[in-house]
Amino acid sequence: MPQIDRYKGSGDPMVHLWLFSDILRPMDLTRTQKLSLFGQTLSGVAAIWYAKLEDEVKRSWDEMAEAFVA
């Protein structure tokens, strides 16, 4: 996986989503593959949020991204 700065919970979460997607775009990953990697780009309170996120939400890229930005 390419090096992606970890999102710690401060700053704009939408920017992190855009950067994550842009960096992984050349790899042509499926949404499921991106979902499995996304949690590895988080730390601090953002990682805690992700760990507590319902499994159903973690199965949908769109739902997870919406919850992340909210």
Side-chain angles (χ1 to χ4, degrees), residues 29-69:
L29 299 175
T30 66
R31 288 177 177 222
T32 303
Q33 290 169 319
K34 289 194 314 184
L35 275 168
S36 69
L37 295 174
F38 185 74
Q40 297 175 34
T41 69
L42 306 175
S43 66
V45 295
I48 293 168
W49 167 85
Y50 188 78
K52 293 180 178 182
L53 191 62
E54 296 173 2
D55 288 338
E56 296 81 33
V57 176
K58 289 181 184 178
R59 291 188 190 115
S60 165
W61 175 258
D62 293 332
E63 285 185 46
M64 188 284 304
E66 186 176 312
F68 183 67
V69 171

Side-chain angles (χ1 to χ4, degrees), residues 1-51:
M1 182 165 128
Q3 177 63 32
I4 299 173
D5 289 340
R6 291 186 180 264
Y7 181 77
K8 299 173 184 167
S10 61
D12 189 340
M14 185 62 82
V15 170
H16 183 72
L17 285 171
W18 287 331
L19 292 173
F20 177 81
S21 293
D22 284 348
I23 290 169
L24 295 181
R25 185 170 291 119
M27 299 174 71
D28 200 30
L29 299 175
T30 66
R31 288 177 177 222
T32 303
Q33 290 169 319
K34 289 194 314 184
L35 275 168
S36 69
L37 295 174
F38 185 74
Q40 297 175 34
T41 69
L42 306 175
S43 66
V45 295
I48 293 168
W49 167 85
Y50 188 78

